[in-house]
Amino acid sequence: MEIIMSIVAGLLFTTGVYNLLQKQLLRIAIGTALISHGAHLFILTMGGLKGGAPPILVEGIEHYTDPLPQALILTSIVISFGVTSFLLVLAYRASEANGTDNIEQLRGNDYE
């Protein structure tokens, strides 16, 4: 199962980097979101996909689930949501003010 999750995280990283290299601001925002989702899957996979009881001390339970990767992913989700919403608002404001979302045209280069 870890191999499948690693492949999916790699695919998310790959498509995220591809979208980051595009010329439209919306694709750049989508690329950052895909990279953050790939990082979430990577953290979850490296934490181990083991089953177990919740980390509450109860007699008779020997295998507990590690809560640290889940806490790190939850923090990362909140941060990536803030970054993605900021990038979407920035892209919207830039396209409304300039009439385009093409990076080359925003720089002043008129390449098509």
Side-chain angles (χ1 to χ4, degrees):
M1 186 68 173
E2 283 89 4
I3 293 176
I4 294 172
M5 295 294 278
S6 298
I7 290 171
V8 171
L11 287 173
L12 285 172
F13 279 124
T14 303
T15 55
V17 168
Y18 176 76
N19 280 326
L20 278 178
L21 297 174
Q22 298 298 313
K23 292 182 181 179
Q24 291 84 17
L25 286 174
L26 185 59
R27 287 192 181 192
I28 293 171
I30 290 171
T32 57
L34 287 174
I35 287 176
S36 67
H37 289 316
H40 301 157
L41 281 178
F42 183 71
I43 292 170
L44 182 65
T45 304
M46 292 301 108
L49 299 174
K50 301 175 219 160
I56 300 171
L57 295 177
V58 179
E59 300 228 5
I61 298 176
E62 297 178 5
H63 300 288
Y64 293 103
T65 304
D66 187 17
L68 184 63
Q70 297 170 7
L72 288 173
I73 291 169
L74 184 60
T75 305
S76 178
I77 288 171
V78 171
I79 292 169
S80 66
F81 177 73
V83 168
T84 303
S85 62
F86 174 73
L87 286 175
L88 287 174
V89 168
L90 186 68
Y92 175 74
R93 293 289 302 237
S95 67
E96 285 292 316
N98 298 313
T100 184
D101 68 339
N102 192 335
I103 295 293
E104 295 295 327
Q105 292 177 356
L106 289 174
R107 286 184 185 157
N109 303 334
D110 290 331
Y111 299 118
E112 286 288 323

XYZ file of all heavy atoms in Angstrom:
846
model
N 0.813 -1.198 0.000
C 0.000 0.000 0.000
C 0.863 1.271 0.000
O 0.477 2.265 -0.583
C -0.924 -0.048 1.222
C -1.915 1.054 1.251
S -3.105 0.864 -0.076
C -4.233 2.135 0.305
N 2.021 1.191 0.673
C 2.898 2.364 0.710
C 3.440 2.696 -0.671
O 3.641 3.871 -0.985
C 4.062 2.135 1.686
C 3.694 2.279 3.141
C 3.218 0.971 3.751
O 3.260 -0.063 3.046
O 2.806 0.988 4.914
N 3.677 1.669 -1.491
C 4.203 1.916 -2.828
C 3.168 2.649 -3.681
O 3.501 3.595 -4.414
C 4.643 0.585 -3.489
C 5.837 0.034 -2.738
C 4.943 0.776 -4.955
C 6.302 -1.311 -3.215
N 1.907 2.254 -3.567
C 0.844 2.917 -4.334
C 0.701 4.371 -3.901
O 0.576 5.274 -4.736
C -0.483 2.153 -4.174
C -0.367 0.774 -4.812
C -1.640 2.934 -4.794
C -1.546 -0.131 -4.535
N 0.752 4.609 -2.595
C 0.636 5.983 -2.093
C 1.840 6.827 -2.508
O 1.692 8.011 -2.813
C 0.492 5.977 -0.570
C -0.780 5.330 -0.093
S -2.229 6.237 -0.578
C -2.253 7.468 0.672
N 3.023 6.220 -2.544
C 4.216 6.947 -2.995
C 4.116 7.299 -4.476
O 4.510 8.398 -4.889
C 5.468 6.119 -2.747
O 5.643 5.884 -1.375
N 3.577 6.387 -5.282
C 3.398 6.664 -6.710
C 2.381 7.774 -6.914
O 2.589 8.687 -7.730
C 2.997 5.375 -7.457
C 4.169 4.410 -7.499
C 2.509 5.688 -8.866
C 3.825 3.037 -8.008
N 1.284 7.748 -6.157
C 0.276 8.805 -6.272
C 0.848 10.150 -5.843
O 0.609 11.178 -6.491
C -0.989 8.440 -5.451
C -1.947 9.603 -5.362
C -1.685 7.231 -6.050
N 1.626 10.166 -4.756
C 2.259 11.419 -4.313
C 3.233 11.924 -5.376
O 3.288 13.133 -5.646
C 2.980 11.202 -2.984
N 3.984 11.018 -6.004
C 4.896 11.414 -7.077
C 4.156 11.981 -8.274
O 4.607 12.955 -8.893
N 3.020 11.390 -8.617
C 2.207 11.917 -9.718
C 1.654 13.305 -9.388
O 1.596 14.184 -10.253
C 1.066 10.960 -10.052
C 1.463 9.680 -10.776
C 0.269 8.747 -10.897
C 2.024 10.002 -12.140
N 1.250 13.498 -8.141
C 0.777 14.824 -7.734
C 1.902 15.851 -7.799
O 1.686 16.991 -8.243
C 0.177 14.772 -6.333
C -1.207 14.146 -6.226
C -1.603 13.974 -4.767
C -2.232 14.978 -6.961
N 3.101 15.481 -7.349
C 4.240 16.385 -7.458
C 4.548 16.711 -8.917
O 4.824 17.856 -9.268
C 5.483 15.783 -6.804
C 5.532 15.937 -5.309
C 5.666 14.824 -4.490
C 5.468 17.177 -4.722
C 5.714 14.958 -3.129
C 5.507 17.327 -3.355
C 5.636 16.205 -2.558
N 4.497 15.685 -9.772
C 4.815 15.882 -11.188
C 3.832 16.825 -11.863
O 4.226 17.763 -12.567
C 4.827 14.525 -11.915
O 5.761 13.669 -11.263
C 5.207 14.691 -13.375
N 2.532 16.581 -11.661
C 1.531 17.456 -12.285
C 1.557 18.851 -11.666
O 1.293 19.840 -12.353
C 0.122 16.852 -12.173
O -0.168 16.575 -10.794
C 0.006 15.593 -12.990
N 1.896 18.942 -10.372
C 2.010 20.250 -9.742
C 3.154 21.072 -10.306
O 3.004 22.265 -10.583
N 4.302 20.438 -10.514
C 5.451 21.149 -11.099
C 5.141 21.538 -12.537
O 5.487 22.642 -12.987
C 6.728 20.289 -10.999
C 7.848 20.866 -11.832
C 7.155 20.175 -9.552
N 4.481 20.653 -13.282
C 4.100 20.984 -14.656
C 3.186 22.211 -14.693
O 3.358 23.103 -15.522
C 3.398 19.793 -15.313
C 2.877 20.086 -16.696
C 3.741 20.156 -17.779
C 1.527 20.316 -16.923
C 3.283 20.439 -19.049
C 1.054 20.600 -18.189
C 1.934 20.653 -19.248
O 1.466 20.943 -20.494
N 2.221 22.281 -13.766
C 1.329 23.435 -13.723
C 2.045 24.696 -13.242
O 1.683 25.803 -13.636
C 0.116 23.155 -12.839
C -0.923 22.343 -13.557
O -1.107 22.475 -14.757
N -1.607 21.481 -12.829
N 3.047 24.547 -12.390
C 3.809 25.722 -11.954
C 4.595 26.350 -13.092
O 4.872 27.549 -13.072
C 4.785 25.347 -10.836
C 4.229 25.268 -9.430
C 5.316 24.841 -8.465
C 3.638 26.579 -8.989
N 4.953 25.572 -14.088
C 5.746 26.082 -15.201
C 4.893 26.664 -16.330
O 5.441 27.066 -17.354
C 6.638 24.959 -15.749
C 7.676 24.425 -14.760
C 8.399 23.238 -15.346
C 8.640 25.512 -14.352
N 3.580 26.743 -16.142
C 2.694 27.299 -17.162
C 2.669 28.822 -17.069
O 3.200 29.419 -16.134
C 1.276 26.743 -16.993
C 1.197 25.243 -17.160
C 1.617 24.793 -18.536
O 1.180 25.350 -19.529
N 2.481 23.793 -18.582
N 2.012 29.455 -18.035
C 1.998 30.914 -18.096
C 0.761 31.550 -17.468
O 0.725 32.747 -17.260
C 2.087 31.370 -19.552
C 3.416 31.058 -20.189
C 3.465 31.573 -21.601
C 4.789 31.240 -22.241
N 4.868 31.701 -23.620
N -0.262 30.765 -17.152
C -1.483 31.326 -16.580
C -1.417 31.271 -15.051
O -0.946 30.299 -14.468
C -2.716 30.559 -17.066
C -3.028 30.761 -18.522
C -2.240 29.846 -19.430
O -1.701 28.856 -18.979
N -2.161 30.204 -20.701
N -1.925 32.328 -14.423
C -1.883 32.408 -12.967
C -2.751 31.348 -12.310
O -2.403 30.830 -11.245
C -2.337 33.800 -12.517
C -1.346 34.933 -12.740
C -1.982 36.266 -12.397
C -0.110 34.715 -11.918
N -3.879 31.015 -12.905
C -4.753 30.003 -12.320
C -4.078 28.636 -12.305
O -4.184 27.887 -11.332
C -6.071 29.942 -13.086
C -7.132 29.005 -12.511
C -7.484 29.417 -11.098
C -8.353 28.982 -13.386
N -3.351 28.303 -13.363
C -2.635 27.019 -13.391
C -1.515 26.999 -12.356
O -1.203 25.950 -11.791
C -2.078 26.754 -14.772
C -3.145 26.384 -15.754
C -2.547 25.852 -17.006
N -3.613 25.533 -17.946
C -3.422 24.847 -19.038
N -2.218 24.422 -19.343
N -4.426 24.585 -19.834
N -0.906 28.134 -12.101
C 0.136 28.199 -11.075
C -0.468 27.952 -9.696
O 0.100 27.226 -8.875
C 0.867 29.551 -11.144
C 1.662 29.637 -12.443
C 1.784 29.751 -9.949
C 2.248 30.996 -12.713
N -1.644 28.517 -9.433
C -2.320 28.284 -8.153
C -2.728 26.815 -8.016
O -2.595 26.227 -6.934
C -3.540 29.193 -8.036
N -3.210 26.215 -9.095
C -3.570 24.793 -9.059
C -2.324 23.941 -8.835
O -2.357 22.942 -8.103
C -4.304 24.400 -10.356
C -5.682 25.056 -10.381
C -4.430 22.889 -10.496
C -6.415 24.912 -11.684
N -1.201 24.327 -9.427
C 0.050 23.603 -9.228
C 0.513 23.616 -7.780
O 0.971 22.594 -7.260
N 0.385 24.756 -7.108
C 0.776 24.802 -5.697
C -0.152 23.946 -4.842
O 0.303 23.305 -3.888
C 0.785 26.246 -5.172
O -0.494 26.824 -5.360
C 1.840 27.073 -5.860
N -1.433 23.915 -5.194
C -2.367 23.058 -4.450
C -2.032 21.582 -4.657
O -2.068 20.791 -3.699
C -3.792 23.350 -4.883
N -1.687 21.197 -5.879
C -1.339 19.798 -6.141
C -0.053 19.393 -5.422
O 0.050 18.278 -4.897
C -1.192 19.560 -7.644
C -2.491 19.536 -8.447
C -2.183 19.430 -9.928
C -3.368 18.399 -8.001
N 0.914 20.290 -5.377
C 2.157 19.983 -4.662
C 1.894 19.829 -3.166
O 2.445 18.941 -2.512
C 3.226 21.053 -4.948
C 3.739 20.886 -6.373
C 4.378 20.979 -3.961
C 4.718 21.936 -6.809
N 1.017 20.657 -2.613
C 0.717 20.524 -1.187
C -0.035 19.227 -0.904
O 0.217 18.578 0.115
C -0.071 21.734 -0.690
O -1.357 21.764 -1.272
N -0.929 18.805 -1.809
C -1.614 17.524 -1.616
C -0.625 16.361 -1.713
O -0.747 15.374 -0.969
C -2.728 17.348 -2.637
C -3.909 18.236 -2.410
N -4.465 18.443 -1.176
C -4.634 18.977 -3.273
C -5.485 19.275 -1.280
N -5.604 19.616 -2.549
N 0.338 16.469 -2.619
C 1.381 15.450 -2.701
C 2.202 15.382 -1.424
O 2.571 14.291 -0.970
N 2.479 16.534 -0.825
C 3.227 16.554 0.437
C 2.407 15.923 1.560
O 2.958 15.219 2.420
C 3.603 17.994 0.793
N 1.097 16.146 1.569
C 0.238 15.521 2.587
C 0.291 14.002 2.475
O 0.439 13.305 3.489
C -1.208 15.980 2.442
C -1.391 17.452 2.568
N -2.472 18.105 2.035
C -0.646 18.413 3.152
C -2.381 19.387 2.279
N -1.274 19.594 2.960
N 0.166 13.494 1.251
C 0.233 12.047 1.059
C 1.609 11.499 1.419
O 1.724 10.401 1.979
C -0.093 11.690 -0.388
C -1.562 11.673 -0.756
C -1.730 11.344 -2.230
C -2.317 10.688 0.089
N 2.652 12.253 1.102
C 4.007 11.817 1.421
C 4.207 11.723 2.935
O 4.774 10.750 3.437
C 5.018 12.777 0.799
C 6.435 12.369 1.004
C 6.958 11.267 0.348
C 7.259 13.088 1.854
C 8.267 10.882 0.536
C 8.570 12.711 2.050
C 9.076 11.607 1.397
N 3.739 12.716 3.678
C 3.863 12.687 5.140
C 3.070 11.524 5.714
O 3.541 10.811 6.610
C 3.402 14.029 5.753
C 4.363 15.144 5.388
C 3.296 13.923 7.272
C 3.857 16.527 5.758
N 1.875 11.297 5.203
C 1.050 10.192 5.689
C 1.706 8.845 5.396
O 1.723 7.946 6.237
C -0.336 10.247 5.044
C -1.337 9.184 5.489
C -1.668 9.367 6.956
C -2.583 9.248 4.649
N 2.283 8.705 4.210
C 2.928 7.454 3.842
C 4.182 7.206 4.674
O 4.431 6.085 5.114
C 3.293 7.473 2.346
O 2.115 7.731 1.594
C 3.875 6.154 1.909
N 4.978 8.238 4.894
C 6.194 8.061 5.680
C 5.890 7.821 7.159
O 6.699 7.237 7.875
C 7.114 9.278 5.546
C 7.710 9.437 4.154
S 8.680 8.035 3.644
C 7.646 7.274 2.427
N 4.723 8.255 7.615
C 4.324 7.990 8.996
C 3.893 6.552 9.201
O 3.776 6.089 10.331
N 3.635 5.852 8.126
C 3.228 4.451 8.219
C 1.725 4.319 8.102
O 0.971 5.037 8.760
N 1.300 3.421 7.262
C -0.133 3.189 7.064
C -0.564 1.981 7.889
O -1.120 1.022 7.383
C -0.421 2.975 5.577
C -0.076 4.125 4.650
C -0.265 3.726 3.198
C -0.926 5.327 4.975
N -0.291 2.026 9.171
C -0.605 0.912 10.050
C -1.935 1.147 10.760
O -2.272 2.281 11.086
C 0.479 0.745 11.105
C 1.843 0.488 10.550
C 2.849 0.457 11.665
C 4.098 1.140 11.171
N 4.965 1.593 12.179
N -2.638 0.097 10.971
C -3.863 0.179 11.765
C -3.541 -0.023 13.229
O -2.522 -0.596 13.591
N -4.392 0.456 14.053
C -4.180 0.289 15.483
C -5.251 1.021 16.251
O -6.130 1.665 15.684
N -5.159 0.937 17.535
C -6.115 1.603 18.405
C -5.773 3.088 18.508
O -4.642 3.494 18.243
C -6.086 0.969 19.788
N -6.735 3.913 18.877
C -6.428 5.332 19.115
C -5.410 5.469 20.252
O -5.336 4.603 21.127
C -7.775 5.937 19.513
C -8.793 4.982 19.022
C -8.156 3.633 19.017
N -4.633 6.533 20.253
C -3.571 6.670 21.263
C -4.116 7.082 22.626
O -3.756 8.117 23.188
C -2.656 7.734 20.666
C -3.541 8.539 19.803
C -4.556 7.578 19.252
N -4.991 6.259 23.164
C -5.536 6.471 24.506
C -5.123 5.257 25.329
O -5.340 4.118 24.924
C -7.072 6.611 24.471
C -7.447 7.808 23.602
C -7.630 6.761 25.877
C -8.919 7.916 23.318
N -4.524 5.492 26.471
C -4.012 4.387 27.281
C -5.161 3.602 27.901
O -5.888 4.090 28.757
C -3.078 4.912 28.365
C -1.793 5.574 27.877
C -1.003 6.120 29.047
C -0.963 4.596 27.082
N -5.292 2.377 27.410
C -6.309 1.464 27.914
C -5.627 0.120 28.112
O -4.758 -0.276 27.322
C -7.482 1.332 26.904
C -8.522 0.363 27.409
C -8.104 2.678 26.626
N -6.017 -0.599 29.128
C -5.396 -1.888 29.392
C -5.767 -2.905 28.325
O -6.885 -2.914 27.817
C -5.847 -2.390 30.764
C -5.466 -1.442 31.863
C -4.823 -2.164 33.012
O -4.596 -3.361 32.907
O -4.556 -1.490 33.990
N -4.807 -3.721 27.937
C -5.039 -4.797 26.994
C -4.743 -4.439 25.542
O -4.798 -5.298 24.680
N -4.437 -3.202 25.262
C -4.126 -2.794 23.881
C -2.621 -2.604 23.775
O -2.013 -1.888 24.565
C -4.871 -1.503 23.501
C -6.371 -1.723 23.569
C -4.462 -1.053 22.105
C -7.189 -0.492 23.301
N -2.024 -3.271 22.777
C -0.581 -3.200 22.618
C -0.143 -2.336 21.442
O 0.943 -1.781 21.451
C -0.031 -4.612 22.426
C -0.258 -5.505 23.623
C 0.244 -6.912 23.379
O 0.848 -7.152 22.326
O 0.017 -7.758 24.242
N -0.961 -2.221 20.388
C -0.576 -1.474 19.182
C -1.415 -0.201 19.074
O -2.638 -0.266 18.978
C -0.778 -2.340 17.934
C 0.029 -3.596 17.954
N 1.396 -3.592 17.787
C -0.322 -4.884 18.147
C 1.844 -4.829 17.867
N 0.814 -5.645 18.089
N -0.718 0.913 19.107
C -1.369 2.209 18.989
C -1.002 2.864 17.664
O 0.054 2.614 17.099
C -0.945 3.142 20.138
C -1.438 2.695 21.481
C -0.584 2.076 22.369
C -2.755 2.911 21.848
C -1.025 1.663 23.609
C -3.214 2.502 23.089
C -2.348 1.879 23.967
O -2.799 1.474 25.185
N -1.852 3.742 17.191
C -1.587 4.519 15.994
C -0.820 5.780 16.391
O -1.157 6.424 17.378
C -2.900 4.915 15.300
O -3.643 3.740 15.029
C -2.651 5.663 14.017
N 0.193 6.119 15.613
C 0.992 7.311 15.895
C 0.208 8.559 15.470
O -0.127 8.710 14.296
C 2.314 7.232 15.141
C 3.261 8.356 15.506
O 3.042 9.001 16.551
O 4.225 8.563 14.756
N -0.102 9.485 16.382
C -0.895 10.661 16.015
C -0.080 11.797 15.394
O -0.645 12.752 14.877
C -1.498 11.107 17.340
C -0.492 10.699 18.350
C 0.107 9.411 17.836
N 1.253 11.714 15.426
C 2.086 12.811 14.941
C 1.922 13.088 13.443
O 1.750 14.255 13.055
C 3.550 12.565 15.290
C 4.502 13.689 14.914
C 4.153 14.949 15.686
C 5.931 13.275 15.176
N 1.938 12.077 12.546
C 1.735 12.388 11.123
C 0.370 13.012 10.843
O 0.257 13.913 10.012
C 1.865 11.035 10.426
C 2.635 10.187 11.351
C 2.298 10.660 12.721
N -0.641 12.576 11.552
C -1.975 13.149 11.353
C -2.017 14.598 11.802
O -2.645 15.444 11.147
C -3.008 12.315 12.100
C -3.093 10.898 11.580
C -3.926 10.001 12.461
O -4.559 10.456 13.402
N -3.928 8.718 12.161
N -1.353 14.924 12.895
C -1.310 16.308 13.365
C -0.521 17.186 12.394
O -0.914 18.330 12.117
C -0.692 16.367 14.754
N 0.586 16.661 11.855
C 1.370 17.421 10.878
C 0.575 17.672 9.603
O 0.626 18.764 9.022
C 2.668 16.683 10.547
C 3.732 16.665 11.629
C 4.877 15.759 11.218
C 4.223 18.061 11.915
N -0.176 16.667 9.157
C -0.981 16.826 7.943
C -2.096 17.836 8.173
O -2.388 18.658 7.299
C -1.536 15.465 7.495
C -0.397 14.589 6.987
C -2.587 15.630 6.408
C -0.789 13.160 6.761
N -2.721 17.800 9.338
C -3.782 18.765 9.627
C -3.246 20.194 9.619
O -3.864 21.099 9.045
C -4.425 18.444 10.973
C -5.617 19.296 11.374
C -6.731 19.137 10.350
C -6.096 18.903 12.747
N -2.078 20.409 10.206
C -1.452 21.724 10.175
C -1.098 22.123 8.747
O -1.312 23.268 8.329
C -0.196 21.718 11.053
O -0.545 21.289 12.359
C 0.417 23.096 11.119
N -0.587 21.174 7.979
C -0.219 21.450 6.588
C -1.438 21.766 5.731
O -1.363 22.606 4.830
C 0.540 20.251 6.027
O 0.864 20.455 4.692
N -2.563 21.125 5.992
C -3.790 21.418 5.250
C -4.243 22.846 5.493
O -4.634 23.557 4.562
C -4.898 20.406 5.618
C -4.584 19.045 5.005
C -6.266 20.888 5.162
C -5.492 17.941 5.484
N -4.177 23.284 6.732
C -4.585 24.652 7.055
C -3.666 25.662 6.375
O -4.135 26.653 5.796
C -4.603 24.849 8.590
C -4.801 26.303 8.958
C -5.678 23.988 9.219
N -2.361 25.422 6.413
C -1.418 26.336 5.777
C -1.604 26.354 4.265
O -1.615 27.421 3.637
C 0.020 25.966 6.163
C 0.250 26.242 7.648
C 1.036 26.730 5.325
C 1.536 25.680 8.186
N -1.769 25.184 3.651
C -1.938 25.141 2.194
C -3.266 25.759 1.768
O -3.349 26.355 0.687
C -1.827 23.706 1.684
O -2.901 22.927 2.151
N -4.300 25.660 2.598
C -5.554 26.332 2.280
C -5.367 27.841 2.273
O -5.869 28.534 1.375
C -6.644 25.944 3.289
C -7.940 26.656 3.064
C -8.748 26.323 1.997
C -8.349 27.670 3.918
C -9.942 26.988 1.776
C -9.534 28.337 3.707
C -10.331 27.995 2.632
N -4.637 28.361 3.240
C -4.373 29.802 3.280
C -3.553 30.270 2.092
O -3.853 31.305 1.483
N -2.526 29.511 1.728
C -1.679 29.881 0.591
C -2.472 29.812 -0.712
O -2.378 30.705 -1.564
C -0.427 28.985 0.535
C 0.323 29.147 -0.771
C 0.482 29.289 1.704
N -3.274 28.760 -0.876
C -4.065 28.612 -2.104
C -5.102 29.712 -2.227
O -5.284 30.281 -3.317
C -4.751 27.236 -2.134
O -3.755 26.226 -2.017
C -5.522 27.033 -3.421
N -5.776 30.050 -1.133
C -6.764 31.125 -1.207
C -6.093 32.470 -1.499
O -6.625 33.280 -2.265
C -7.586 31.192 0.084
O -6.754 31.473 1.181
N -4.910 32.714 -0.931
C -4.178 33.938 -1.231
C -3.801 34.005 -2.705
O -3.953 35.047 -3.346
C -2.930 34.038 -0.351
C -2.041 35.192 -0.700
C -2.418 36.488 -0.394
C -0.838 34.986 -1.353
C -1.602 37.560 -0.726
C -0.020 36.043 -1.685
C -0.411 37.336 -1.371
N -3.305 32.898 -3.255
C -2.924 32.880 -4.664
C -4.126 33.059 -5.586
O -4.016 33.721 -6.627
C -2.183 31.589 -5.002
C -0.760 31.486 -4.487
C -0.192 30.116 -4.785
C 0.108 32.564 -5.093
N -5.258 32.479 -5.228
C -6.453 32.650 -6.052
C -6.944 34.099 -6.039
O -7.322 34.647 -7.079
C -7.561 31.708 -5.589
C -7.367 30.240 -5.929
C -8.456 29.397 -5.283
C -7.341 30.030 -7.424
N -6.924 34.739 -4.879
C -7.321 36.146 -4.802
C -6.324 37.028 -5.547
O -6.709 37.962 -6.263
C -7.462 36.581 -3.319
C -7.591 38.086 -3.199
C -8.639 35.893 -2.689
N -5.040 36.720 -5.422
C -4.012 37.474 -6.134
C -4.184 37.332 -7.649
O -4.084 38.326 -8.389
C -2.631 36.995 -5.701
C -1.435 37.755 -6.240
C -1.414 39.158 -5.650
C -0.169 37.013 -5.890
N -4.458 36.124 -8.117
C -4.667 35.899 -9.551
C -5.917 36.615 -10.039
O -5.928 37.202 -11.127
C -4.770 34.409 -9.840
N -6.973 36.594 -9.241
C -8.212 37.280 -9.630
C -8.008 38.785 -9.724
O -8.415 39.418 -10.693
C -9.323 36.949 -8.633
C -10.592 37.700 -8.904
C -11.413 37.357 -9.964
C -10.974 38.771 -8.098
C -12.573 38.051 -10.222
C -12.127 39.473 -8.348
C -12.928 39.114 -9.408
O -14.077 39.814 -9.657
N -7.351 39.348 -8.702
C -7.124 40.799 -8.707
C -6.200 41.223 -9.842
O -6.406 42.257 -10.473
C -6.523 41.245 -7.369
C -7.438 41.125 -6.170
C -8.528 42.144 -6.231
N -7.960 43.472 -6.287
C -8.207 44.439 -5.452
N -9.046 44.255 -4.481
N -7.646 45.613 -5.597
N -5.177 40.424 -10.129
C -4.256 40.754 -11.215
C -4.950 40.662 -12.565
O -4.737 41.515 -13.442
C -3.044 39.832 -11.190
N -5.804 39.671 -12.739
C -6.504 39.542 -14.024
C -7.570 40.613 -14.184
O -7.816 41.084 -15.304
C -7.114 38.149 -14.162
O -8.154 37.972 -13.222
N -8.198 41.036 -13.106
C -9.191 42.112 -13.192
C -8.516 43.453 -13.469
O -9.020 44.262 -14.239
C -10.005 42.198 -11.892
C -11.029 41.098 -11.736
C -12.150 41.212 -12.740
O -12.654 42.322 -12.971
O -12.504 40.159 -13.306
N -7.386 43.698 -12.835
C -6.709 44.982 -13.005
C -6.027 45.107 -14.361
O -5.990 46.197 -14.946
C -5.678 45.181 -11.894
N -5.508 43.999 -14.892
C -4.722 44.058 -16.121
C -5.432 43.479 -17.336
O -4.942 43.614 -18.452
C -3.392 43.330 -15.922
C -2.565 43.972 -14.843
O -2.407 45.187 -14.822
N -2.057 43.170 -13.931
N -6.534 42.784 -17.126
C -7.274 42.223 -18.239
C -6.709 40.924 -18.790
O -7.177 40.428 -19.801
N -5.716 40.354 -18.123
C -5.123 39.102 -18.573
C -4.565 38.346 -17.373
O -4.299 38.935 -16.329
C -3.997 39.332 -19.602
O -3.535 38.073 -20.067
C -2.860 40.127 -19.026
N -4.425 37.036 -17.536
C -3.775 36.256 -16.492
C -2.493 35.598 -17.009
O -1.916 34.750 -16.348
C -4.710 35.182 -15.932
C -5.017 34.085 -16.924
O -4.865 34.313 -18.133
O -5.423 32.999 -16.477
N -2.029 36.042 -18.165
C -0.804 35.524 -18.758
C 0.394 36.218 -18.119
O 0.482 37.446 -18.083
C -0.813 35.761 -20.270
C 0.279 35.011 -20.980
O 1.298 34.688 -20.396
N 0.037 34.734 -22.247
N 1.326 35.420 -17.628
C 2.495 35.962 -16.935
C 3.355 36.812 -17.861
O 3.860 37.869 -17.465
C 3.330 34.810 -16.329
C 2.539 34.096 -15.239
C 4.647 35.307 -15.767
C 2.276 34.931 -14.022
N 3.529 36.373 -19.100
C 4.361 37.130 -20.056
C 3.765 38.504 -20.326
O 4.495 39.483 -20.426
C 4.528 36.345 -21.352
C 5.295 35.037 -21.201
C 6.726 35.253 -20.790
O 7.325 36.280 -21.191
O 7.253 34.398 -20.055
N 2.453 38.591 -20.466
C 1.826 39.886 -20.692
C 1.851 40.755 -19.442
O 1.944 41.983 -19.535
C 0.400 39.692 -21.173
C 0.324 39.092 -22.570
C -1.101 38.832 -23.008
O -2.039 39.033 -22.230
N -1.266 38.394 -24.232
N 1.784 40.156 -18.272
C 1.869 40.925 -17.027
C 3.281 41.506 -16.828
O 3.439 42.551 -16.237
C 1.481 40.062 -15.828
C 0.013 39.706 -15.713
C -0.206 38.722 -14.559
C -0.842 40.935 -15.522
N 4.283 40.804 -17.332
C 5.659 41.308 -17.242
C 5.931 42.413 -18.230
O 6.906 43.149 -18.094
C 6.648 40.157 -17.515
C 6.773 39.186 -16.414
C 7.833 38.174 -16.750
N 7.863 37.153 -15.722
C 8.323 35.940 -15.907
N 8.794 35.591 -17.094
N 8.325 35.078 -14.943
N 5.108 42.521 -19.263
C 5.326 43.530 -20.277
C 5.803 42.939 -21.577
O 5.938 43.649 -22.568
N 6.072 41.663 -21.615
C 6.441 40.984 -22.848
C 5.168 40.580 -23.582
O 4.278 40.019 -22.997
C 7.289 39.734 -22.570
C 8.530 40.067 -21.780
O 9.020 41.182 -21.839
N 9.035 39.102 -21.058
N 5.088 40.862 -24.863
C 3.873 40.573 -25.614
C 4.012 39.285 -26.408
O 3.668 39.233 -27.582
C 3.518 41.736 -26.535
C 3.047 42.949 -25.750
O 2.488 42.750 -24.661
O 3.248 44.072 -26.235
N 4.516 38.244 -25.799
C 4.630 36.968 -26.493
C 3.295 36.247 -26.433
O 2.610 36.275 -25.433
C 5.702 36.087 -25.851
C 7.066 36.706 -25.880
C 7.744 37.015 -24.714
C 7.690 36.977 -27.093
C 8.993 37.569 -24.739
C 8.951 37.542 -27.119
C 9.589 37.834 -25.944
O 10.833 38.388 -25.982
N 2.941 35.573 -27.449
C 1.693 34.802 -27.475
C 1.997 33.352 -27.536
O 2.784 32.837 -28.197
C 0.824 35.215 -28.660
C 0.183 36.550 -28.458
C -0.929 36.547 -27.441
O -1.673 35.576 -27.362
O -1.034 37.523 -26.720
